[in-house]
């Protein structure tokens, strides 16, 4: 079997169950691909010894009754704590940190037979939309514009995960999504990424950015693989107080592709001023595909959408400033060298100034400001009230009979690294315009690749589902995927 790394999770699983493929061979093919793809800077901590050991164990127990991910090589975002393996959240302040414990999500993946190839690059502490804030350096998108050699962003913060899956370095990867960090990079590289309902996957052992928004999810080559991987990642965890004790359905079994009678909402507020014509056309084409598949299309209103970005960029930095207070140079990670006479205050200040990058510093300062005594009500409490109104908009749409909502995933295709200068962070924040509402409302959302722009770069659409109905959402996404027939892959240059 040639081109092993190009296999989907489902195809590799079925081949291994039939005895046509071993995990050892598949894992070696992925390890070789990773070694040859240094130019992408996707993998930052390789774990070949662990991978080979897990692959041997998977081959020893293979058969028709083997677990769902038995022998499947995956990449793990550097935000997930992995026992004995560096888990830095792409930050200098966690340099040298090797956890003595395993995150719940990775524990469940390993229990399902998954093989860990290594840790994937990301924006520092998941703060970014372009993977340019990492202490490991930028991740590069495997796609290129036409005949242009300019390096493009894979999106963020799960940019390493996106790049690795799109370039066939692994069969799937974990991501996390606080304001679009699974869905935006998935759209930028032409893969599938799902953010499940808040509470569907445990957050225990995942380095926290904004605790009321963060959610783990899979990034895969297609919708079926997303269903298989999400199944393994989901479930109640008593160690996470926000984890929901709700049964996990068989997501893969829900993929019938039959959406006749389903109602798809098209929100008028997502038609932004200055939206590129290519995004408008993609959205219209996706709407037509779902209609042709038998769905009923209705126009809906989500009136508080325009307040979502400002509310998000108050709530997320506020929670970040609280969560990142623990990185003080005392217990683990980086500690600054002190001058004679420096006390504990100087130690905190120097350590955090050296350890945190500019974007993290910016968000910590914004968050500390909006939580301060004189501004708590003016900013943070007001943003929380806006968040409740945004959630209510979605509730009313679903109560009116809408089964899923179709929107663009991103306002553009992938842009060049360095094109959005750090001098104007607001421009970067606007990349999240279609995705942050889903996190604020705690809903499931999935990005599906559906076309290419005029420069040959992938574009994706987003489907938003009812809470806890990922199975239904995945099935609508499966129908869209089949209708769009997106099979394009980046031409190999690395």
């Amino acid at each position: 079997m040639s081109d092993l790394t190009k296999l989907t999770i489902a195809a590799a699983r079925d081949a291994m169950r039939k005895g046509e493929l071993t995990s050892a061979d598949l894992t070696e093919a992925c390890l070789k691909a990773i070694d040859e793809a240094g130019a992408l800077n996707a993998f930052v901590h390789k774990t070949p010894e662990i991978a080979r050991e897990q692959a041997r164990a998977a081959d020893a127990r293979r058969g028709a009754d083997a677990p769902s991910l038995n022998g499947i090589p995956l990449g793990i975002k550097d935000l997930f704590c992995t026992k004995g393996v560096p888990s830095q959240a792409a930050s200098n302040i966690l340099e040298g940190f090797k956890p003595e414990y395993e995150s719940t999500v990775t524990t469940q993946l390993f229990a399902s037979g998954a093989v860990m190839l290594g840790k994937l690059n990301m924006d520092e502490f998941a703060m970014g939309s372009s993977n340019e804030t990492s202490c490991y350096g930028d991740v590069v998108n495997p796609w290129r514009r036409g005949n242009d050699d300019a390096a493009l962003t894979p999106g963020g913060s799960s940019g390493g995960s996106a790049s690795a899956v799109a370039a066939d370095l692994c069969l799937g990867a974990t991501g996390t999504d606080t304001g679009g960090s699974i869905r935006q990079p998935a759209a930028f590289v032409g893969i599938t990424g799902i953010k499940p309902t808040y509470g569907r996957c445990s957050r225990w052992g995942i380095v926290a950015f904004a605790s009321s928004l963060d959610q783990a999810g899979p990034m895969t080559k297609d919708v079926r693989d997303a269903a298989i991987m999400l199944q393994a990642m989901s479930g109640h965890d008593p160690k996470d107080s926000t984890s929901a004790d709700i049964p996990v359905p068989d997501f893969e079994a829900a993929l019938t592709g039959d959406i006749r009678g389903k109602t798809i909402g098209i929100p008028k507020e997502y038609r932004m001023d200055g939206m590129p014509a290519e995004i408008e056309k993609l959205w219209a084409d996706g709407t037509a595909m779902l209609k042709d598949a038998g769905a009923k299309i209705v126009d809906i209103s989500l009136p508080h959408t325009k307040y979502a970005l400002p509310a998000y960029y108050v709530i997320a930095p506020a929670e970040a400033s609280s969560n990142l207070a623990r990185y003080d140079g005392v217990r683990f990670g980086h500690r600054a060298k002190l001058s004679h006479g420096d006390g504990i205050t100087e130690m905190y200040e120097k350590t955090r100034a050296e350890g945190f990058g500019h974007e993290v510093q910016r968000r910590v300062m914004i968050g500390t400001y909006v939580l301060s005594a004189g501004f708590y009500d003016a900013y943070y409490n007001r943003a929380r009230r806006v968040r409740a109104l945004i959630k209510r908009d979605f509730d009313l749409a679903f109560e009116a009979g809408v089964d899923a909502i179709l929107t663009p995933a991103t306002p553009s295709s992938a842009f060049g690294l360095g094109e959005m200068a750090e001098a104007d962070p607001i421009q970067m924040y606007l990349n999240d315009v279609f995705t942050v509402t889903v996190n604020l409302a705690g809903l499931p959302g999935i990005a599906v690749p559906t076309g290419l722009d005029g420069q040959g770069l992938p574009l994706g659409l987003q489907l938003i589902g009812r809470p806890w109905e990922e199975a239904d959402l995945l099935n609508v996404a499966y129908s869209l995927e089949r209708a769009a027939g997106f099979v394009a892959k980046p031409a190999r240059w690395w």
Side-chain angles (χ1 to χ4, degrees), residues 5 7-10 42-43 69 72-80 105 109 117 120-123 126 128-129 131 139 141-142 153-178 180-196 201 215-233 409-410 435 445-449 474 481 489:
T5 64
L7 290 171
T8 62
I9 291 173
F43 275 87
L69 290 172
I72 301 294
L74 304 176
I76 306 297
K77 187 176 179 180
D78 196 37
L79 210 62
F80 292 78
V105 163
L109 288 171
L117 296 166
L120 291 160
N121 205 344
M122 55 178 281
D123 278 296
S129 304
N131 224 131
V139 181
N141 192 325
T153 175
S157 65
S158 307
S161 302
S163 183
V165 173
D168 295 321
L169 309 185
C170 53
L171 274 63
T174 62
T176 61
D177 193 311
T178 305
S181 288
I182 286 173
R183 292 160 289 150
Q184 182 247 24
F188 273 4
V189 301
I191 65 170
T192 298
I194 181 168
K195 181 206 91 72
C201 295
Q215 193 62 195
M219 301 178 74
T220 57
K221 297 178 187 182
D222 62 19
V223 173
R224 182 172 298 278
D225 284 5
I228 295 166
M229 201 167 154
L230 181 60
Q231 178 101 32
M233 293 171 69
T410 57
T435 51
I446 186 169
V448 180
L474 283 158
E481 175 185 71
K489 298 288 288 184

Side-chain angles (χ1 to χ4, degrees), residues 42-377:
F43 275 87
V44 289
H45 299 293
K46 300 174 190 176
T47 56
E49 298 82 7
I50 293 172
R52 290 180 179 119
E53 186 180 323
Q54 290 174 329
R56 280 194 295 272
D59 285 334
R61 64 172 172 260
R62 70 185 185 161
D65 57 349
S68 59
L69 290 172
N70 193 54
I72 301 294
L74 304 176
I76 306 297
K77 187 176 179 180
D78 196 37
L79 210 62
F80 292 78
C81 287
T82 42
K83 187 174 181 178
V85 177
S87 304
Q88 280 185 237
S91 180
N92 285 320
I93 208 159
L94 277 173
E95 188 175 359
F97 176 57
K98 293 182 180 179
E100 288 300 314
Y101 53 89
E102 194 74 45
S103 79
T104 297
V105 163
T106 49
T107 298
Q108 290 175 193
L109 288 171
F110 299 153
S112 294
V115 171
M116 179 171 73
L117 296 166
K119 304 297 283 291
L120 291 160
N121 205 344
M122 55 178 281
D123 278 296
E124 185 181 6
F125 282 106
M127 298 181 196
S129 304
S130 64
N131 224 131
E132 293 175 280
T133 69
S134 170
C135 72
Y136 309 117
D138 304 346
V139 181
V140 180
N141 192 325
W143 291 80
R144 291 272 167 95
R145 297 185 188 118
N147 298 317
D148 186 351
D149 286 344
L152 304 179
T153 175
S157 65
S158 307
S161 302
S163 183
V165 173
D168 295 321
L169 309 185
C170 53
L171 274 63
T174 62
T176 61
D177 193 311
T178 305
S181 288
I182 286 173
R183 292 160 289 150
Q184 182 247 24
F188 273 4
V189 301
I191 65 170
T192 298
I194 181 168
K195 181 206 91 72
T197 310
Y198 182 79
R200 176 65 87 184
C201 295
S202 171
R203 292 185 303 106
W204 193 86
I206 301 174
V207 178
F209 164 12
S211 301
S212 74
L213 300 164
D214 298 344
Q215 193 62 195
M219 301 178 74
T220 57
K221 297 178 187 182
D222 62 19
V223 173
R224 182 172 298 278
D225 284 5
I228 295 166
M229 201 167 154
L230 181 60
Q231 178 101 32
M233 293 171 69
S234 298
H236 179 240
D237 179 11
K239 295 197 290 286
D240 175 6
S241 63
T242 61
S243 171
D245 193 359
I246 290 177
V248 180
D250 187 335
F251 296 130
E252 188 182 8
L255 302 181
T256 63
D258 184 358
I259 60 167
R260 287 171 296 181
K262 295 290 181 186
T263 299
I264 308 298
I266 309 296
K268 64 180 185 182
E269 288 79 11
Y270 283 57
R271 297 190 191 285
M272 303 290 179
D273 290 340
M275 183 188 285
E278 287 173 322
I279 301 287
E280 284 269 16
K281 183 179 184 305
L282 186 83
W283 196 8
D285 290 348
T287 304
M289 288 174 201
L290 292 175
K291 188 175 183 179
D292 290 345
K296 177 185 174 188
I297 307 297
V298 297
D299 289 323
I300 62 169
S301 178
L302 301 169
H304 295 94
T305 295
K306 63 186 175 199
Y307 305 117
L309 266 181
Y312 174 83
Y313 278 103
V314 169
I315 291 168
E319 295 186 12
S321 81
S322 176
N323 277 327
L324 270 59
R326 72 193 69 173
Y327 304 108
D328 53 15
V330 176
R331 288 156 293 183
F332 49 80
H334 174 74
R335 179 185 293 189
K337 287 186 167 57
L338 303 181
S339 305
H340 182 69
D342 281 349
I344 193 157
T345 302
E346 289 79 12
M347 192 269 284
Y348 286 159
E349 288 172 351
K350 288 182 178 179
T351 295
R352 289 167 69 81
E354 289 175 12
F356 291 146
H358 293 313
E359 182 60 33
V360 173
Q361 290 177 13
R362 178 184 292 120
R363 297 200 198 191
V364 167
M365 287 191 287
I366 291 169
T368 306
Y369 177 80
V370 301
L371 289 176
S372 59
F375 302 101
Y376 189 89
D377 282 331

